[in-house]
Amino acid sequence: MTDFQQQALQLASQQQNSPAWLRALRGEGAGQWQRAGWPGRRTELWKYTPLQALQRTDFQHWGRALPQGAGSASLLPLDAIRLVFVNGVFDAQASSASHAQVVRFSAASESQRALIEKHLGRIVNTERHLFASLSNAWVQDGVLLHVPRNVILDQPIYIVHVSTPDAEPVIVNQRLLVVLEENAKAELIEHFVSDAQAQNSFVNSLTEVSIGANAELQHYRINLEQEQQIHIGGVHIDLQRDARYRGFTLAEGSQLKRLDYQINHRGAGAHASLNGVYLPRNNQLVDYHTNVEHWAPHCTTSEVFRGIISDSARAVFNGRILIHPNAQKTLAELSNRNLLTSDKAEVDTKPELEIYADDVKCAHGATVSQLDETAMYYLQSRGVSKTQARTMLSFGFINELLQELPRAEVRDYLHHHLAILFGTATDLS
Amino acid sequence: MLEIHNLNARVEGADILRNLSLSIKPGEVHAIMGPNGAGKSTLGNVLSGRPGYEVTSGEVLFNGKNLLELEIEERAREGLFLAFQYPVEIPGVTNMEFLKASVDARRKHLGMSDLSSFDFMKLARETSKKVSLDPAFLKRGVNEGFSGGEKKRNEIMQMMLLEPNLCILDETDSGLDIDALQVVAAGVNAMRDGKRSFIVVTHYQRLLDYIVPDFVHVLAAGRIVKTGGKDLALELEARGYAWLEDEGA
């Protein structure tokens, strides 16, 4: 066991206010964490993402309530059921009134508790996801979004995680469980944001999603923390018969940022689409690992990831689609395109298809390119400066994915945020 | 307006323009015709500064300035405009953004203030109607999914918005049906004001029925082998280019 593993376990024991009914899961997680081999350069799943930044930091304590609350973090202007957490601590003032379908674990009713016990830590495969076992060991509070059968939520659920600097490095464990029963429908926005440049937290964030038969989830997950933050996050989704998952994820880089998506097509006829954008710059890193497993026939997957890697930044994209023998008539597509805007930028991309069924249609591809010279020339030939042409083309590369977002408030927020980042802000619409 | 003296240029190691000279005065329309591979498109590309087109010798003065020393965007801001033979598709960058950036750059260079977004959008919508392009195209990606004719009309719209001094039309007529050709020609003719000059590069005499040139030049093997009035185009249509290539050799 490494020092970090040891230290993490000690922190787990400092948790005072965890519900007793979660004790079994915590124990299970702690055991797995303790036994797990620490990832190194030969560990395939962590090959390009060293964990030194995590090991170097001496985390002293858990995030605690700070007087500034949500501070100056810029939130989405959204008519939504809103829950705000600051360094992992629930901020009731910044959140909307409690809602029947959205509760914190600590406030769960008997039946909700049963639901949590049934699903929490059961959708994620902890053998494959080391930091999920840590999350289980650390679990105290979290959020349950439960949409009963035939219920369509008329408001989106907006969960905001604000990181704010504390006197000493802090640890935050974030947990979300989404259970959509048959024919239910919901929209969920997870938003990670910082309110100051200097950040000293390690956020381990895990979202588990169970989508019942013919139910549908629209899910946005936006990682816009400052670059000093360490973030390891995962989204793990089970889809039952004819269920639909539509996901969008966007991440700026940080000194260590690793994001995993695991999608399981468990029932026939399910559909998953996942689009993603990553934008590391300076010395940042973003590592996306996606793994889509088709266990049942007639399911479809569409996955598009695009990255712009600038300065001395690095990106890792590993997209795997695994078609099990029973998953006949699968349609699956995966595309990853990368734009390097500097000689020092780096991307390690690896699309993988593993097919064990004989009647499927699958396609995958990855490209790494620089800005299109002909497009540069075209813009310049109209008087646009080289610098401006470069930013317009970079922004255009990802804007294609932003334009498709169904929720206008998310689209506009990201458009505005990224236009500033790329220096192309205009008020043309 | 434009003085080209003994211009030599090469592309990918091959000499394409050989001692080409041409003088264009304000308000004149010059047609450049010639067989495939004569260097017609190279001329427009060299003048606009396209990367990969290397000038080996010669001089080009544009409004008295040494054009070849200017960056691509500086040439455009000075008032040189090339309507592309194959306009480039740029998904993700809207036509409106692109046009505003271009017009802002040109206006700034001329010491004029930026148009407000509101005024610009109004101007762009009006201009798009002049070239029979649905204003909805302004919100789409630059040339993204446009038909051949729509791309060419988009080029003419850019030309109208930028109000250049010298417009080079590089085979703007190729691939156009007669209706689209008339729209393009009407756009060009509306911009003839006695001061603005045009170089109309074309493979087909047909265009010159609609845009009537003051001069017709035949380009063969990288230089001008014959110059005449608008009637020369008709003669070329009847006789082809072979007799001139023999003359030029």
Side-chain angles (χ1 to χ4, degrees):
Chain A
M1 211 171 31
T2 59
D3 290 350
F4 179 77
Q5 279 169 292
Q6 194 94 52
Q7 191 192 1
L9 280 177
Q10 277 165 15
L11 277 157
S13 64
Q14 286 170 24
Q15 288 279 35
Q16 299 301 324
N17 47 2
S18 173
W21 49 278
L22 286 171
R23 194 178 294 145
L25 182 66
R26 289 163 58 87
E28 197 182 300
Q32 276 180 329
W33 173 255
Q34 215 165 346
R35 288 191 302 275
W38 189 247
R41 298 194 61 159
R42 297 219 182 107
T43 314
E44 191 58 32
L45 284 170
W46 291 91
K47 197 168 168 183
Y48 299 101
T49 300
L51 289 165
Q52 275 88 335
L54 187 57
Q55 289 168 271
R56 266 202 303 269
T57 314
D58 185 21
F59 295 101
Q60 294 293 322
H61 55 76
W62 293 94
R64 55 194 168 191
L66 290 167
Q68 69 262 43
S72 60
S74 127
L75 307 188
L76 279 160
L78 199 62
D79 178 20
I81 302 157
R82 184 163 91 178
L83 286 90
V84 179
F85 293 82
V86 179
N87 279 357
V89 179
F90 183 63
D91 182 342
Q93 259 188 331
S95 304
S96 52
S98 64
H99 189 277
Q101 261 84 55
V102 194
V103 290
R104 287 184 296 131
F105 295 170
S106 50
S109 69
E110 196 84 10
S111 62
Q112 288 164 331
R113 194 186 291 182
L115 209 57
I116 295 166
E117 281 176 306
K118 183 178 166 197
H119 292 287
L120 194 72
R122 301 292 167 241
I123 297 170
V124 62
N125 173 356
T126 45
E127 295 299 326
R128 192 179 160 92
H129 297 278
L130 172 66
F131 285 87
S133 57
L134 180 61
S135 179
N136 284 345
W138 277 353
V139 72
Q140 45 177 338
D141 208 355
V143 176
L144 168 69
L145 163 60
H146 172 223
V147 188
R149 194 161 170 260
N150 295 335
V151 171
I152 295 173
L153 286 190
D154 54 0
Q155 269 181 308
I157 311 295
Y158 180 35
I159 301 181
V160 188
H161 296 291
V162 182
S163 315
T164 192
D166 202 344
E168 282 158 341
V170 294
I171 285 197
V172 174
N173 195 51
Q174 282 157 351
R175 216 46 203 259
L176 172 62
L177 174 64
V178 179
V179 181
L180 267 57
E181 292 184 17
E182 194 178 312
N183 292 325
K185 191 174 171 186
E187 182 182 356
L188 167 68
I189 300 151
E190 290 184 84
H191 186 185
F192 298 86
V193 64
S194 305
D195 73 345
Q197 289 293 332
Q199 292 294 318
N200 53 7
S201 56
F202 162 46
V203 175
N204 188 25
S205 105
L206 183 60
T207 296
E208 288 175 282
V209 179
S210 166
I211 307 181
N214 206 38
E216 178 172 331
L217 179 69
Q218 171 81 46
H219 182 202
Y220 303 86
R221 207 166 196 261
I222 300 160
N223 284 86
L224 299 176
E225 310 91 340
Q226 294 294 341
E227 66 183 6
Q228 286 312 311
Q229 199 194 65
I230 296 176
H231 185 108
I232 293 177
V235 179
H236 301 261
I237 303 150
D238 271 352
L239 291 155
Q240 302 304 331
R241 189 185 178 91
D242 300 319
R244 293 172 301 282
Y245 173 78
R246 300 181 210 285
F248 175 78
T249 169
L250 181 144
E252 291 181 349
S254 73
Q255 60 165 325
L256 170 55
K257 185 172 288 182
R258 163 67 175 252
L259 302 162
D260 277 86
Y261 272 81
Q262 167 80 39
I263 299 175
N264 295 305
H265 290 282
R266 303 261 181 219
H271 171 75
S273 67
L274 178 63
N275 288 353
V277 171
Y278 44 93
L279 305 161
R281 59 208 154 88
N282 302 332
N283 279 312
Q284 303 165 0
L285 165 77
V286 176
D287 174 352
Y288 267 104
H289 269 63
T290 72
N291 188 37
V292 181
E293 295 192 44
H294 284 254
W295 300 88
H298 294 286
C299 296
T300 53
T301 296
S302 158
E303 187 177 340
V304 178
F305 271 76
R306 288 197 184 175
I308 300 176
I309 303 103
S310 326
D311 309 317
S312 301
R314 221 155 54 74
V316 180
F317 177 80
N318 192 299
R320 178 171 179 247
I321 296 180
L322 174 53
I323 317 283
H324 291 281
N326 194 31
Q328 299 295 2
K329 304 286 180 190
T330 291
L331 289 177
E333 279 181 353
L334 163 65
S335 145
N336 172 231
R337 288 174 59 191
N338 297 282
L339 187 62
L340 303 180
T341 63
S342 128
D343 290 344
K344 289 181 191 150
E346 182 184 322
V347 61
D348 298 286
T349 174
K350 188 168 151 200
E352 293 178 83
L353 269 181
E354 269 183 68
I355 304 175
Y356 299 101
D358 53 14
D359 187 11
V360 301
K361 273 190 192 151
C362 298
H364 71 320
T367 62
V368 179
S369 59
Q370 291 170 333
L371 287 172
D372 180 350
E373 279 184 20
T374 314
M376 283 290 292
Y377 163 57
Y378 190 62
L379 292 175
Q380 286 177 269
S381 80
R382 298 298 181 252
V384 178
S385 73
K386 206 173 202 168
T387 317
Q388 196 184 354
R390 206 173 272 146
T391 54
M392 283 173 81
L393 290 179
S394 303
F395 185 57
F397 182 73
I398 52 162
N399 195 29
E400 282 182 86
L401 293 182
L402 297 187
Q403 281 166 342
E404 291 172 8
L405 297 180
R407 169 66 62 184
E409 291 92 339
V410 177
R411 194 169 60 225
D412 294 346
Y413 177 91
L414 290 176
H415 192 280
H416 179 71
H417 177 85
L418 298 177
I420 291 169
L421 189 74
F422 283 99
T424 61
T426 63
D427 50 359
L428 294 175
S429 54
Chain B
M1 164 103 27
L2 184 76
E3 297 286 338
I4 305 176
H5 299 298
N6 295 323
L7 186 64
N8 286 275
R10 65 170 52 169
V11 184
E12 290 172 0
D15 293 318
I16 307 289
L17 298 182
R18 300 157 194 256
N19 285 326
L20 186 140
S21 294
L22 181 64
S23 171
I24 295 176
K25 295 191 175 58
E28 291 178 349
V29 176
H30 290 243
I32 294 186
M33 303 186 70
N36 285 329
K40 299 193 299 289
S41 287
T42 300
L43 178 62
N45 285 328
V46 166
L47 293 178
S48 71
R50 182 170 197 146
Y53 288 74
E54 184 197 350
V55 173
T56 49
S57 67
E59 184 188 43
V60 180
L61 296 176
F62 179 51
N63 292 333
K65 286 186 185 163
N66 183 349
L67 183 76
L68 301 176
E69 280 185 353
L70 301 179
E71 296 291 336
I72 303 166
E73 59 268 32
E74 290 169 340
R75 300 177 194 202
R77 293 172 193 167
E78 278 289 326
L80 183 137
F81 181 90
L82 172 68
F84 279 45
Q85 183 179 1
Y86 303 111
V88 182
E89 294 197 21
I90 312 179
V93 176
T94 68
N95 224 359
M96 189 68 101
E97 263 178 89
F98 164 60
L99 294 170
K100 176 88 163 57
S102 310
V103 171
D104 283 351
R106 170 94 166 121
R107 288 178 67 94
K108 190 176 177 196
H109 184 76
L110 295 174
M112 299 159 78
S113 60
D114 278 7
L115 288 174
S116 72
S117 292
F118 180 82
D119 289 343
F120 181 77
M121 284 195 264
K122 192 162 162 259
L123 177 67
R125 276 195 286 267
E126 283 164 6
T127 311
S128 71
K129 283 180 194 146
K130 285 186 194 162
V131 293
S132 308
L133 205 58
D134 186 335
F137 279 80
L138 293 166
K139 294 195 169 184
R140 285 172 48 179
V142 176
N143 292 319
E144 187 187 1
F146 289 24
S147 72
E150 286 159 353
K151 284 181 184 168
K152 298 296 174 81
R153 279 181 275 159
N154 198 17
E155 295 291 288
I156 301 301
M157 177 166 81
Q158 292 165 32
M159 185 169 90
M160 290 175 152
L161 285 169
L162 288 168
E163 302 185 344
N165 308 111
L166 173 65
C167 308
I168 306 166
L169 307 180
D170 186 7
E171 304 212 17
T172 300
D173 54 327
S174 45
L176 292 193
D177 65 26
I178 198 75
D179 294 338
L181 181 71
Q182 284 175 343
V183 170
V184 165
V188 171
N189 288 330
M191 293 190 68
R192 291 177 73 166
D193 61 357
K195 284 177 262 172
R196 184 171 291 125
S197 309
F198 293 84
I199 297 176
V200 181
V201 175
T202 181
H203 198 67
Y204 307 103
Q205 181 272 334
R206 184 182 67 158
L207 176 67
L208 305 180
D209 288 343
Y210 298 95
I211 303 172
V212 181
D214 301 305
F215 301 94
V216 174
H217 307 280
V218 178
L219 193 67
R223 59 200 179 93
I224 289 169
V225 295
K226 191 165 182 71
T227 294
K230 63 178 192 279
D231 296 338
L232 178 56
L234 294 170
E235 195 180 351
L236 293 168
E237 177 83 350
R239 294 180 66 187
Y241 292 108
W243 60 285
L244 285 169
E245 285 177 52
D246 295 343
E247 255 180 39

